[in-house]
Structure formats: structure tokens, C-alpha cells
Amino acid sequence: MLYAMIAKDAPGALQTRLDTRPVHLEHLKSLGNKLVFAGALLNAEEQPEGSIVVFAAETLAEAEAMAAADPFVPAGVFASYEVKRWRIAINNTSVEF
């Protein structure tokens, strides 16, 4: 099953996000195949203002544990985050970014 973590950054957290990013990325890499995709939500100035991370997990509790283990959480980057069951409706991964 797939679960999405939708996170919004705390006001003024950009520097903390940048400082914590290397360990955040290592954490995501450590998830292996349980990480489906991840990326920052960007504001009008192309600066990060949140994140979306999609996990493959057996249960909501497992996905919530993966989200809570993200170094951005204890560092205070996120003002809030939630983990929701997610279903792919269209998979057009051939689109170039």
C-alpha cells in the first residue's frame, strides 16, 4: 500500500531545512524500496515550503513511523505533517521534468 506524507514548513525554517537536508536525504536513501518518491513543495519564489513523501508500507502505523523518523521532524522544519493512504490514479512517469 502507498502512503503520502504531506508536510508544511514552519515559518522561518528555511535555514534549518538547508542545514538538516544532508541527514534528511540519507534517511530517505536508507528506506530503500519503501521510498516511492519524495520532493519539496515550492513557493512562488521557488523556495521550499513543505514536502511530499510517498512510502510503500504495510500499515498506516508503519508509514507514520517512517515519517516521524525523518530528521526534518525533530529539527523543527515542519510546522505540521500528516500521513494519508494514497492511491495512484494515473502513472505518467515518462514525463520529462
Side-chain angles (χ1 to χ4, degrees), residues 13-81:
L14 180 58
Q15 190 58 53
T16 304
R17 173 184 270 274
L18 296 174
D19 293 344
T20 311
R21 189 169 187 267
V23 292
H24 161 74
L25 294 176
E26 285 301 316
H27 166 71
L28 293 178
K29 288 178 191 174
S30 78
L31 296 175
N33 290 338
K34 292 205 176 266
L35 176 66
V36 178
F37 64 81
L41 297 168
L42 303 177
N43 64 20
E45 292 78 36
E46 296 290 309
Q47 294 295 317
E49 66 175 9
S51 296
I52 294 178
V53 181
V54 176
F55 305 105
E58 295 297 318
T59 64
L60 175 60
E62 180 186 4
E64 287 174 335
M66 286 188 277
D70 188 315
F72 279 175
V73 173
V77 172
F78 299 144
S80 66
Y81 71 92

